[in-house]
Amino acid sequence: MTEGFPSTHNEAHDSFVGFQASEVHGSTINIVPPDASPQKKYEVGVRCLEEGLPGRARELIWDAITHDHDGPQIRFHWVLAMLSKRAHHDLSAEERRQLDRTRDVMQGYAEDKDWKPGLQVVFDLLALPGKADSETAAVLKRLRDLAPPQRDLIVHHLDLVLTSRTKATLWAEICELAKTGQFRGDRSRRVRYYFEPDPIGARARPPEESTAFRYRPRLAAWTGLFVVAAGFLGISAVIAEPLTAIVELLIALGTGFLAARFGRPWWHNKHRLQAKEQELGQASNQEPVPDPARSPASARGGAAAADGFTSSVRNSFEHYFGTYVPHGFDRPEWLAHTAGIRAVLAAEVAFLYRESRISVDRVNWLIRYLAQDAKDRHNNGTLFAHRQRYRTPVTTKLACVLALAVLGVTSLAVTVTAAGSASASHGLLTFAVFCGAIGIGRRAASVWLDMRSEEQRFAEETQEYHRRMYAREEEFQRWQEHLNAIRPSDAEMEAWLSHDKVLFTADVLRHHQLTWYDIIAHTILTTPARPYRRARRRGGPWRYSRYTLRLFLATRNGIREISTEVDFARATRPGEQRTNYRFDAFSSVQVTEDDRIGYEMALLLSNGPARTIRIKDADSHQLEPYENARELSQINLDAAGFAHTFRLLEGIAADGKAWIERNNADSPPSADSTD
């Protein structure tokens, strides 16, 4: 029956609920190359043990031992790996014989103050069932006298093999350690960084290639025609009145140079300002478009275009621009004020990072930086710097207009001089050439100004590109170093989860008014709770932002199942679901594996519907190069404590209460018993 009080238990067995964000970090510290030394295999094995992977740990450490890397410290960690997350009855006959041989080998090790005494205490604890209270007290005293690292490791990893009497004696200390360690290491702040994806490197859009070379043929043609026309006028003027013509020509050349000198920046600034404003205006008015990466099938299925990478980038920009709002603006006002800039930046980021299987989370560091940069530039008055940069001073404009006016008057004077003493037909030809020279000169000047403006544009954008790349690379390096410094290790994540399990178990025992003397066998299964974020190191187990802890307690009156969901960063448990079963209520336990769904365990009951428990979600699509799907599944099942849970429930389903009586820590099998 299920007791009716508040519960946060929420399972959907046949559908996917919410968005499950997944990240695989690039660290490979638990990957062992085939030619690794025994010392290296041992070190990696110890790390695996710290991270809740005893199966992998015992394989690596035993491999090191068989290659002559042996000693009390190595054997200590191997014995812990052998017993961690396992009960006596989970061990095979060969494994029990290996433990017995290790106990004999231990006698030949040199004495030390930490590892050999710790190893001796482990074997003393394994031998406690059936011993008198005085012997138990003596062993527990030796346990407490050990150095904290060895003592705490023993208590943690021997959880399922300690006798009820030993567990009851140590329980207060175990709970106190869990309370002390639950938030150690700034857990609440740091956990979220474990799920932050490894950032993708800094990029910036390079400038468009210069098209100045395209203007050169036209410039040469128009300039040639202008030289012919101007030469005809100048020569004609010099022939007619040499002294006057020379003075006029010198003035024309000087004012032409001044007109070009002041007109070129005016021309460039005008066109660059128009281009920038047009870009901002078009971007801010652009409607969201479907992401090309989206498949037509998805669109037909009714998925919004907002699911695409481009739309995700736009949403992220809106989020961070709405977060970094300068003083004097409210959020809607700031978003409206920066609509154009935001759209331009979003288009750039979407263009630069549109890659297969690249999520927007990997570029959020850059989007966040650009939003902060926009706020800073507003505060120092450079948010719309192009409006200042490309504003032409009035003096430059006046100088250009004056030079052009003088040039026009002087050119007309040269024409009059050239036509004054000639025949009427020559005069008409001269004025016709003058009119043609004006048109040709305008075309030549326009082409020249466009070419020089394009050259300047490319130089400016190249300089701006290098400035942006430098700033973004600095921010990328800063964020990566920050992540590496603040992201918890897998050992810390495992330790925090272990503390949560202890305190959850303590609350359950307190609620049901049970002691360890009442518990015949127990197991705790750790599974993801949707919706979640998950991440792992390459070669490591998935870690989740939300867990379901499911505790099974076998007492003489039946099985109690208590489950709760845990917000891992805050270590909060808003509610629980409690269910009780008779021993004969279990008819069978089934496990199914599906490439799309993952692992599920079904508890078939004789008096009710089947209970389906999702053990782990599928991860075949998250495999990294050189990773094996079967090995990764085994790693995650090991981390979840699945093997012991399945053996316990399968035994109960097969033999009922008789199995419980034979399989508890107070009556371990002998080394000679068969599997």
Side-chain angles (χ1 to χ4, degrees), residues 43-271:
E43 291 172 355
V44 175
V46 171
R47 279 200 296 269
C48 288
L49 183 61
E50 292 173 345
E51 296 166 7
L53 303 175
R56 178 70 170 149
R58 59 178 170 267
E59 290 175 8
L60 290 171
I61 299 174
W62 184 250
D63 195 318
I65 291 172
T66 57
H67 287 85
D68 298 325
H69 186 63
D70 201 357
Q73 181 177 353
I74 292 88
R75 291 281 180 163
F76 177 83
H77 285 108
W78 177 78
V79 170
L80 294 187
M82 182 66 77
L83 300 172
S84 184
K85 297 186 179 180
R86 304 172 91 190
H88 284 291
H89 295 80
D90 296 327
L91 304 177
S92 67
E94 177 56 29
E95 288 172 332
R96 292 194 290 270
R97 285 191 290 269
Q98 284 180 326
L99 287 173
D100 278 353
R101 287 194 293 269
T102 297
R103 183 174 53 199
D104 296 335
V105 169
M106 176 188 68
Q107 306 306 322
Y109 293 139
E111 296 294 333
D112 66 7
K113 65 177 182 178
D114 293 322
W115 302 108
K116 187 173 180 179
L119 192 55
Q120 183 61 60
V121 168
V122 171
F123 286 112
D124 290 343
L125 288 169
L126 293 179
L128 277 182
K131 297 294 179 66
D133 290 348
S134 58
E135 292 185 65
T136 300
V139 172
L140 292 181
K141 182 181 185 306
R142 290 198 295 275
L143 173 64
R144 293 187 175 99
D145 289 341
L146 291 175
Q150 287 77 22
R151 181 189 65 223
D152 295 345
L153 284 172
I154 291 171
V155 171
H156 171 60
H157 290 291
L158 269 63
D159 173 61
L160 296 177
V161 298
L162 293 177
T163 65
S164 299
R165 178 171 50 191
T166 306
K167 199 76 174 286
T169 305
L170 295 173
W171 188 238
E173 299 169 47
I174 294 172
C175 291
E176 187 58 37
L177 285 173
K179 288 178 184 177
T180 303
Q182 188 178 32
F183 290 99
R184 182 178 295 155
D186 202 6
R187 169 183 178 171
S188 298
R189 185 171 69 95
R190 293 175 59 212
V191 161
R192 72 179 183 89
Y193 288 99
Y194 188 88
F195 304 102
E196 283 289 330
D198 292 331
I200 196 167
R203 300 176 190 175
R205 177 178 283 177
E208 294 183 10
E209 291 296 327
S210 174
T211 58
F213 67 92
R214 298 177 181 174
Y215 294 94
R216 290 195 175 97
R218 285 182 291 158
L219 179 62
W222 288 112
T223 301
L225 290 173
F226 180 76
V227 168
V228 170
F232 172 81
L233 293 175
I235 291 171
S236 298
V238 170
I239 293 173
E241 296 184 30
L243 185 61
T244 302
I246 289 173
V247 172
E248 291 172 344
L249 288 173
L250 289 175
I251 294 174
L253 288 173
T255 53
F257 172 78
L258 290 175
R261 167 71 179 79
F262 293 110
R264 187 172 68 84
W266 187 5
W267 181 278
H268 174 72
N269 290 346
K270 176 184 176 182
H271 286 82

Side-chain angles (χ1 to χ4, degrees), residues 255-289:
T255 53
F257 172 78
L258 290 175
R261 167 71 179 79
F262 293 110
R264 187 172 68 84
W266 187 5
W267 181 278
H268 174 72
N269 290 346
K270 176 184 176 182
H271 286 82
R272 290 303 296 153
L273 182 60
Q274 287 177 345
K276 290 285 187 181
E277 290 297 318
Q278 184 178 15
E279 181 183 23
L280 291 176
Q282 288 179 345
S284 62
N285 294 327
Q286 185 177 15
E287 292 295 326
V289 296

